[in-house]
Structure formats: C-alpha cells, structure tokens
Amino acid sequence: MILLPYLSVMIVLVMVQHSVRHAVGPAVSVGDESDYICCGAQADPYLPGIFLRVPFMAWMSKQANRYSSNPERVLRSSTGIASMLSIVFCMLSAQMIGGIYAAFLTGLLLVVMPGRSILSNHIWPDIWLGLWLSLVCLILVYPDLSSNQRALLVGLVAALAFITRFDALLLAPFAGIGLAPLPFIEWLFILLPTLFVFAFLSIRNARRYRIPWPDTTWMFNIMIAAGETGKNRAHKVHVEEEVRKVLTVWQTLEHPDRFSSTVTSLRSLVARPVRAVKGVLVRIWASLGPDSFVLHRLLPPDGSAYP
C-alpha cells in the first residue's frame, strides 16, 4: 500500500515524458550539450575547451563513449534516470515530514513541472545537481541518523554536487547553516569533502593545464554580470547579447588575462553594490516570467532545438 503512490507517480512520469517527447520530437544537441557528448571520445576528456569545467559530466561522457556506440542516447537516458530518482528522493523526504499523501502530491507536482520535463531530456548538469540536492534533503530529514553521520553524508553529497557544477561550492556551507548550531567536528564533516575536492582539482589542473582552478565558468559569469550592471540596463535582461560580447573577448585571452579581467569585473561589482543587487533581483524576476530557455534562445522559440 505504501508503494502505491510511488508506482502511480512513476506511471504518470512515464506518460508525461512520452507525451513531451512525442509533442516536440527527439532532442537535438543545444549549446554545451555538444561539448558534453564529444569530450568523452577524446584521449583526455577533461581537457579545457572554451572553459575548464568540473569533471562529472566529462566523466559521464567518457563512460558513455567507452561502453556504447551511441553515447548521446546513453547520456540522455542517464539524465532521465537522474530526474526519476530525484523525484523519488523528494517523495521520501515529503513522506517523512508530512505522510504518504504529502509524498504523492510532491511527486505529482515535480512530474508535471515543464522545466523538469524539458531538462530531463537534455545533457546538462542541472538535473544531476537536482538529484544531489534532493538527496541532501532526504539526509536532512531521515530520522535514523546520528548527527555525525548526517553531517558526513551531507558533506559527501555536497562534494558530488560540486564536481557536477561549480556553483554547488555553496551547498556545503549553506547546508551547515541549515543544521546550525553545530559542533566544530560536524562543520568539518560537512565542509572538508568539498574543500578537499576543490584543492585536489586545483592542483591537478595546475599541473596538467597550468590553470590553478577546478573550473573557469565562474570567471566568465562574473564578467557577464559586470557587463550587465555596468551599462545601467537593470530594467531589462539581455542575457544572450552580453554572453556573445563577453565570449568574444574571452576567446582572445589566455588564462592569466582571463583571471585579471575577472578581478577587474569583481571590483566593479563591489564598487557598485546597489546596482549589482538590483541586477540580481531583475534576473530573479525575469526567471519568474516567460520560460528563460526560450526567452534567452537556449531552446530557440522557432523549435529548432528539435527536428
């Protein structure tokens, strides 16, 4: 009886995904997807292209290319499985907090979310990051864990999230704040895994590629943010326009110059904190409006992301 809501949600999930796929057709590689698919076929899948990235997606691509003649299908299927597991983890968390009906409603809500339906058919780290976040939620509410066990598990999953997307660097400290007050040893359990991975990747990349960072996409994003706020256009969001301009500059620079430009951009943001905060609020407000993947031409409105 307890499994019935989970089975029902999984059946609805399969129906929704099938309907979405039937309605829009099979996905075609968009943006970074081509990089994620192809990098696994290289001798060094972690070799920096336009960006140096944290290694999870490159590792997934390497495994898909090693064991399948159709790595793209494997990677898309893996993302779909990660999406399904994230729903299950969220349902389990909801059940522990509010009972089986809360779990059922949570599962249905996640299944019908348009963003999840689209992202789960694409090869981006977003769904994988959602999986790690849902697992952290489950660990936080699971009753049969000691405080030390909970802190260590949260730290390990936060490290997994970090190697999936660089901005998950903030997950460990925010999770610790959510569990506060904590004794010092539990803070170590939460923070050390991510810090260890950060240090390990920085040293490895410095030796291999002469780039002493785990990832360089954060530099690119800071340069974009500085460009947007510096033009006093906070009433409007022009993501693609600014991305193109910064990318043109980025590709002409070597890493030391990219880092110098990032420092300069960061100083300009710090020098105009009110404008920077306003820009963040405008971005958040824009995300609540029309679908950003269409609005910002990440999935083109003419449907050219699909055949």
Side-chain angles (χ1 to χ4, degrees), residues 237-284:
V237 178
H238 298 275
V239 175
E240 281 297 294
E241 177 185 336
E242 198 61 43
V243 167
R244 291 191 189 98
K245 289 181 179 179
V246 174
L247 186 59
T248 300
V249 175
W250 178 272
Q251 291 177 309
T252 65
L253 301 175
E254 296 296 328
H255 175 72
D257 299 320
R258 290 172 178 174
F259 183 71
S260 298
S261 297
T262 302
V263 172
T264 301
S265 298
L266 193 57
R267 285 175 179 167
S268 71
L269 289 172
V270 172
R272 294 188 290 265
V274 174
R275 189 179 293 181
V277 171
K278 186 178 180 182
V280 171
L281 294 176
V282 168
R283 279 291 192 94
I284 294 173

Side-chain angles (χ1 to χ4, degrees), residues 151-169:
L152 180 58
L153 288 173
V154 167
L156 292 173
V157 176
L160 275 175
F162 171 66
I163 66 172
T164 303
R165 271 186 59 156
F166 183 84
D167 44 6
L169 178 66

Side-chain angles (χ1 to χ4, degrees), residues 16 38 61-62 83 100 161:
V16 168
C38 297
S61 180
K62 179 180 178 180
S83 175
I100 195 66

Side-chain angles (χ1 to χ4, degrees), residues 166-247:
F166 183 84
D167 44 6
L169 178 66
L170 298 175
L171 177 57
F174 274 105
I177 292 171
L179 288 170
L182 292 175
F184 180 71
I185 187 65
E186 292 182 18
W187 272 110
L188 290 180
F189 286 157
I190 291 175
L191 297 177
L192 279 182
T194 298
L195 293 176
F196 173 81
V197 172
F198 188 104
F200 171 79
L201 292 176
S202 297
I203 294 170
R204 188 202 67 168
N205 292 337
R207 294 179 64 182
R208 288 188 179 183
Y209 315 121
R210 297 184 179 180
I211 301 176
W213 293 96
D215 186 287
T216 58
T217 57
W218 67 275
M219 301 180 189
F220 184 75
N221 290 329
I222 287 177
M223 291 172 65
I224 290 174
E228 288 180 345
T229 58
K231 291 175 179 154
N232 199 21
R233 299 184 307 186
H235 63 287
K236 243 177 168 182
V237 178
H238 298 275
V239 175
E240 281 297 294
E241 177 185 336
E242 198 61 43
V243 167
R244 291 191 189 98
K245 289 181 179 179
V246 174
L247 186 59

